[in-house]
Amino acid sequence: MIKEARLIENFLDMVKISSPSKNERAMGDYLLKVLKELGLEVSEDNAGEINGGNCGNIIGVLRAPGKKKLLFSAHMDTVVPCEKIVPVIENGVIKSDGTSVLGGDDKGGIAAIIEMLRVIKENNLDHPEIVVVFSMGEEIGLLGSKAFAIESYGIDYGFILDSSGKPGKIITKAPSAARGKITIIGKPAHAGISPESGINALTVAAHAITKIKLGRVDVETTSNIGIVNGGQATNIVMPSVELDYEARSLSNEKLDNLLAETFKIFEDVCKEFGAKLENTVQVEYPGFALNDDEKIVEIVKNACERAEIKSETASSGGGSDTNIYNSKGVPSVNLAVGMTKVHTLEEHIEIKDLVNLSKILVEIIKG
């Protein structure tokens, strides 16, 4: 029932549409048109307005009164560079020309959802009530899903298409994440004439950094300083330094303990040197954990079995809209799309994976 040529054509059309975070308007207009042509009830919410973007979440509903309500979702935005994506097909693999990302993250997921809807329509398949959400701003903090009023739709289960790996991989666990800036404020002084009268913020930061836990803390937990900004000139004792920090863990308790320990170390070292500390780090999104025997996991496993595709459950070190929907009370899993080397110029996806993902979705709505 899956029409491979149509699926690939749609995918190629979409990746050519530039849609960086908060600038998804062209992609949103494309999807509004497609969903209307498929006969869904279509709307756009105010997620763009809330988050300072030019497009909200695109929502489509395929009614089936009295039946289960299933959510299928993927995000519209891509990381940069994505201004002019030129897709290339070689030996069954779709990639970019090397000057940009491909945008399979997450237009591969969108393409599979659209193909599922087309198969339903042209084959007059019996189906549950389907709510489709194409979210904005996922790559910069899950902004669209946070703003989406999922509670008003009465959804029973959510299937989010936004994981790397082969179709059949079911993400049932993902971490909570905290993110923000740690700023150390020292005291400027002339670096050549009176350095001893200043407080070098970088020196303070360096002492603290040698004491905190960074990298792989344990099997469930990570910690990282990704960006460092500070200083004015080489002849000035650095007056302040700003550290962009994040931490993640599959255990909320471990994350809380790590954050408390990290902040205590920075506070103590700042006090020792006479520096001041400003901290904006906070939990950005909650984690989730589903058991392998839960109904939603069984639904996907059974669909994979009918599609003759191997299934497996796994945990992820990254966040997705799945985290938000689970936190809002909708049991949800993140399904692998087949995208590989995402967020790089080497990103690619195999055509057979797009086909297999579409097959799995059709089997999910069948059963």
Side-chain angles (χ1 to χ4, degrees):
M1 288 188 287
I2 304 299
K3 293 185 177 178
E4 180 178 310
R6 176 179 65 190
L7 170 63
I8 300 310
E9 181 181 9
N10 184 38
F11 176 72
L12 295 177
D13 286 345
M14 290 192 295
V15 297
K16 293 174 186 176
I17 301 172
S18 179
S19 57
S21 302
K22 293 191 179 183
N23 192 21
E24 299 96 343
R25 183 71 270 158
M27 188 65 191
D29 289 342
Y30 176 92
L31 293 170
L32 285 169
K33 182 175 181 291
V34 170
L35 293 179
K36 287 176 182 177
E37 289 173 348
L38 285 167
L40 277 71
E41 297 176 14
V42 183
S43 62
E44 178 179 341
D45 68 10
N46 64 345
E49 181 181 349
I50 291 172
N51 293 294
N54 65 3
C55 183
N57 298 313
I58 304 303
I59 304 155
V61 180
L62 187 59
R63 296 292 180 187
K67 295 187 177 181
K68 288 284 187 182
K69 296 183 180 181
L70 304 184
L71 168 74
F72 292 88
S73 183
H75 64 85
M76 296 184 288
D77 60 320
T78 64
V79 298
V80 295
C82 62
E83 184 60 34
K84 187 178 180 181
I85 295 176
V86 180
V88 177
I89 301 178
E90 290 183 2
N91 301 318
V93 177
I94 307 174
K95 57 184 181 179
S96 78
D97 65 355
T99 63
S100 70
V101 298
L102 174 63
D105 178 10
D106 193 19
K107 291 171 185 176
I110 296 175
I113 291 172
I114 290 174
E115 181 63 19
M116 173 195 72
L117 293 171
R118 285 175 169 155
V119 169
I120 290 172
K121 286 292 186 176
E122 65 190 12
N123 293 278
N124 197 28
L125 296 181
D126 188 31
H127 61 83
E129 183 150 307
I130 295 172
V131 179
V132 173
V133 177
F134 299 128
S135 61
M136 60 79 63
E138 190 274 347
E139 295 286 6
I140 55 172
L142 316 181
L143 303 182
S145 56
K146 288 177 179 177
F148 176 52
I150 193 171
E151 302 90 342
S152 64
Y153 287 85
I155 292 167
D156 294 290
Y157 301 112
F159 305 90
I160 289 70
L161 285 63
D162 190 23
S163 175
S164 56
K166 294 290 185 180
K169 180 180 176 183
I170 311 163
I171 302 300
T172 55
K173 296 179 182 179
S176 299
R179 189 172 298 162
K181 296 180 185 296
I182 297 172
T183 303
I184 296 171
I185 301 171
K187 181 182 178 182
H190 194 289
I193 298 175
S194 57
E196 59 280 341
S197 66
I199 301 173
N200 192 309
L202 185 60
T203 300
V204 180
H207 276 76
I209 289 170
T210 62
K211 300 174 183 290
I212 68 172
K213 295 173 182 175
L214 290 173
R216 173 69 65 182
V217 177
D218 60 37
V219 68
E220 295 184 313
T221 311
T222 59
S223 173
N224 187 54
I225 294 173
I227 302 173
V228 179
N229 285 307
Q232 297 172 338
T234 57
N235 63 350
I236 301 175
V237 173
M238 188 181 293
S240 66
V241 64
E242 185 179 81
L243 313 175
D244 282 32
Y245 176 79
E246 75 152 41
R248 307 182 187 213
S249 183
L250 292 171
S251 164
N252 290 333
E253 182 180 2
K254 287 182 179 180
L255 180 61
D256 290 342
N257 290 340
L258 174 64
L259 293 177
E261 178 184 327
T262 300
F263 302 153
K264 180 66 164 54
I265 289 170
F266 272 102
E267 288 170 356
D268 289 347
V269 173
C270 283
K271 184 177 181 180
E272 176 186 347
F273 282 84
K276 296 179 181 179
L277 178 67
E278 293 180 356
N279 173 25
T280 66
V281 178
Q282 61 183 354
V283 175
E284 188 174 54
Y285 55 81
F288 69 92
L290 302 173
N291 296 323
D292 283 4
D293 60 357
E294 293 195 35
K295 180 63 177 178
I296 186 172
V297 181
E298 292 180 355
I299 289 172
V300 181
K301 286 182 176 179
N302 291 337
C304 289
E305 184 176 354
R306 292 193 297 272
E308 299 182 341
I309 296 169
K310 181 182 178 181
S311 66
E312 62 171 336
T313 57
S315 63
S316 171
S320 71
D321 290 339
T322 321
N323 293 62
I324 303 304
Y325 296 141
N326 273 297
S327 74
K328 292 185 176 184
V330 178
S332 302
V333 290
N334 189 1
L335 303 183
V337 173
M339 49 195 180
T340 303
K341 293 189 176 181
V342 297
H343 297 193
T344 76
L345 303 186
E346 298 176 324
E347 181 191 357
H348 60 275
I349 190 168
E350 293 187 38
I351 289 175
K352 68 178 181 181
D353 286 337
L354 285 173
V355 172
N356 284 342
L357 178 60
S358 302
K359 288 180 178 178
I360 291 171
L361 297 190
V362 170
E363 292 302 327
I364 287 174
I365 62 98
K366 282 183 179 178

